[in-house]
Amino acid sequence: METLQNKTAIITGASSGIGKAIAHHLASHGANVVLAARRSEKLKELSDEVKKDYSVDTKVIETDVTKKEDLENLVKETKEAFGSVDIFVNNAGVMLLSFLKNDHVDEWEQMVDVNIKGVLFGIHASLPTMIEQESGHVINISSVAGHEVFPSSAVYSATKYAVRALSMGMEKELSSTGVRVTNISPGAVDTELTDHITDGDVLDMFKGRSTQTLNAEDIAKAVTYAVTQPDYVDVNEVMVRPMQK
Ligand SMILES: NC(=O)c1ccc[n+]([C@@H]2O[C@H](COP(=O)([O-])OP(=O)(O)OC[C@H]3O[C@@H](n4cnc5c(N)ncnc54)[C@H](OP(=O)(O)O)[C@@H]3O)[C@@H](O)[C@H]2O)c1
């Protein structure tokens, strides 16, 4: 396993769930971590935890991934502080499941803005630096819903299929540049993701249903696996699902 010492990782959506676990796990392997999301208080708490637990540097940068300038600033401030961007984790996302017939058009737009445009802005902001460095690793967090569609996931799945298509394009276009890309597709993970669902029909559908879930750390381990391979190894696709009870 390669060490992550002196590497710098930017993680979007680091204020909770999978992003927070990725920050912990990469820091535990020696990476300096730049924590990005909108809730800067949560990021500051995480930064304190990480500094206390591991001998790495951290930086908190309040970021809304729907704003291109925020992503440009995120990379600029990271380079000023650490000199390089070695890992960029496009993790921020929302899953506002709803049935198409219920016409939650504002939520469709929000998912497109965060899950697709947010990832595109992350690529826009980080790729020129990685290409210039002739090294770097972009991790895109898609989903099992980027491989399958289920009732109420049509729009969410569309955004996660888009993330996977971007990852596949990046693999093909970047393999001679020194920049690696990994698409990670988690199954159900126990996080805040479902707390924001507003469609009553979806909430009714899930009522009383108990499904086996993964821990956020299970996904963080997959990220660390991908970024600690020797530099000639490009881990392009990882799917991690919970076993069913
Ligand atoms: N949990 C699962 O079962 C599961 C399964 C497959 C894939 N995923 C994917 O995993 C990723 C992380 O989700 P999670 O499960 O960890 O959910 P979560 O706990 O709700 O975390 C979502 C993160 O995204 C951030 N975010 C949302 N909108 C943002 C915006 N406009 N700008 C910046 N950050 C924003 C949130 O931070 P702020 O609110 O502070 O901005 C939060 O840190 C998502 O892409 C999700 O689609 C999750």
Side-chain angles (χ1 to χ4, degrees), residues 33 38 49 56 68 86 92 103 206 217 219:
V33 288
R38 293 166 303 174
E49 270 170 43
V56 298
K68 188 170 60 181
D86 303 297
D103 196 25
F206 285 140
E217 200 200 352
I219 308 306

Side-chain angles (χ1 to χ4, degrees), residues 15-217:
S15 57
S16 67
I18 294 171
K20 182 176 175 179
I22 292 170
H24 262 287
H25 215 256
L26 293 180
S28 77
H29 284 75
N32 298 318
V33 288
V34 178
L35 311 171
R38 293 166 303 174
R39 288 173 294 174
S40 52
E41 278 313 309
K42 294 225 170 242
L43 296 178
K44 283 181 194 135
E45 282 168 29
L46 174 60
S47 169
D48 291 343
E49 270 170 43
V50 166
K51 277 190 183 140
K52 184 164 69 64
D53 292 349
Y54 323 104
S55 314
V56 298
D57 278 339
T58 67
K59 192 164 175 62
V60 166
I61 304 179
E62 190 174 314
T63 305
D64 182 338
V65 298
T66 67
K67 296 183 179 151
K68 188 170 60 181
E69 316 72 52
D70 279 17
L71 272 306
E72 289 167 349
N73 178 61
L74 176 62
V75 169
K76 181 171 163 284
E77 284 198 33
T78 300
K79 280 167 71 179
E80 283 166 5
F82 297 105
S84 66
V85 179
D86 303 297
I87 299 165
F88 191 102
V89 187
N90 274 309
N91 165 73
V94 286
M95 184 182 73
L96 305 167
L97 298 179
S98 65
F99 288 96
L100 292 169
K101 68 180 170 66
N102 293 340
D103 196 25
H104 286 227
V105 66
D106 293 343
E107 294 183 346
W108 301 349
E109 202 173 358
Q110 196 187 337
M111 285 192 283
V112 168
D113 285 348
V114 178
N115 299 0
I116 304 181
K117 285 170 76 177
V119 170
L120 283 173
F121 294 155
I123 294 167
H124 154 74
S126 61
L127 206 50
T129 298
M130 290 186 178
I131 289 174
E132 196 186 324
Q133 293 170 174
E134 298 182 3
S135 72
H137 200 139
V138 177
I139 303 279
N140 292 327
I141 305 295
S142 177
S143 173
V144 164
H147 297 252
E148 297 166 18
V149 186
F150 53 92
S152 80
S153 87
V155 180
Y156 178 66
S157 284
T159 66
K160 292 300 186 178
Y161 272 77
V163 171
R164 200 154 68 87
L166 289 168
S167 300
M168 291 161 87
M170 291 172 80
E171 283 154 42
K172 291 179 178 64
E173 290 187 25
L174 299 174
S175 62
S176 61
T177 65
V179 179
R180 295 184 284 177
V181 61
T182 304
N183 190 78
I184 299 199
S185 296
V189 184
D190 185 17
T191 66
E192 296 174 12
L193 195 68
T194 53
D195 295 357
H196 310 289
I197 297 171
T198 65
D199 187 332
D201 290 340
V202 174
L203 296 172
D204 284 347
M205 181 172 73
F206 285 140
K207 217 174 265 170
R209 202 188 268 187
S210 103
T211 43
Q212 181 71 47
T213 50
L214 299 165
N215 298 316
E217 200 200 352

